[in-house]
Amino acid sequence: MISPPDNPLDDHKIYMAKALDQARAAYEEGEVPVGAVIVHGGRIIAEAHNQREALNDPTAHAEMIAITQAAEALESWRLLDCVLYVTLEPCPMCAGAIVQARIPAVTYGTTDPKAGACQSLYTITSDPRLNHQSTIVGGILMEECRDLLRQFFAEQRALGKK
């Protein structure tokens, strides 16, 4: 268990660093390097990274896997009092799952101008027409999160992939 510091920004950096560890694991496995952790009561209850290639599953995003793990840990689909930390702004699918899971807070590293569904392209997680909204904090360890993704895609392009 990580003891949270007094400064919320320090909390965000600590947990985002854990999400980055997951993103690096994805990178090493040839997956798009996105990592996620879910925190409840100052304790990490879920850690995941993208596994779409390994599982041949288009829904195997880091957030989706972490949400499933957290629901199992709490024995509830309602992830109240949780914070999701993810290295890349969630896509529409993941944003929908965040709303359905009632996650009250999402903190992400870097924006996704092509598919971001929390602030960049869509605002699904804060849409007042839906039955749940999340507080969104973006830009935590942004450079590290962004640079890891850029490096991965540059390597993939050099190999003629993605």
Side-chain angles (χ1 to χ4, degrees):
M1 181 170 119
I2 297 174
S3 298
D6 294 331
N7 181 345
L9 182 58
D10 288 342
D11 283 355
H12 290 323
K13 289 178 180 178
I14 288 169
Y15 295 124
M16 189 60 71
K18 293 293 187 183
L20 264 167
D21 289 343
Q22 287 293 316
R24 290 183 191 101
Y27 188 105
E28 293 301 316
E29 295 171 14
E31 300 277 357
V32 174
V34 177
V37 300
I38 296 179
V39 176
H40 178 264
R43 179 173 74 87
I44 294 174
I45 60 168
E47 297 180 90
H49 58 272
N50 277 1
Q51 295 186 50
R52 292 189 317 168
E53 301 295 333
L55 300 176
N56 290 314
D57 180 354
T59 68
H61 289 199
E63 302 95 306
M64 300 294 282
I65 296 167
I67 287 169
T68 298
Q69 290 175 358
E72 289 174 6
L74 296 178
E75 298 181 343
S76 176
W77 62 267
R78 291 177 185 91
L79 301 183
L80 307 174
D81 302 318
C82 289
V83 181
L84 167 66
Y85 291 86
V86 60
T87 57
L88 179 65
E89 180 183 1
C91 72
M93 175 184 66
C94 295
I98 290 163
V99 170
Q100 292 300 314
R102 313 295 197 265
I103 298 173
V106 177
T107 301
Y108 67 84
T110 191
T111 58
D112 185 350
K114 293 182 179 179
C118 292
Q119 292 180 318
S120 296
L121 190 58
Y122 304 107
T123 56
I124 292 170
T125 53
S126 59
D127 190 324
R129 296 171 295 177
L130 299 175
N131 65 337
H132 173 80
Q133 292 82 43
S134 302
T135 300
I136 306 298
V137 175
I140 303 298
L141 301 183
M142 180 178 63
E143 292 82 14
E144 294 94 324
C145 295
R146 181 193 61 217
D147 292 349
L148 186 62
L149 284 159
R150 285 182 177 169
Q151 180 181 346
F152 176 81
F153 285 113
E155 288 178 10
Q156 294 298 304
R157 283 189 297 278
L159 294 171
K161 300 178 182 178
K162 306 228 191 268

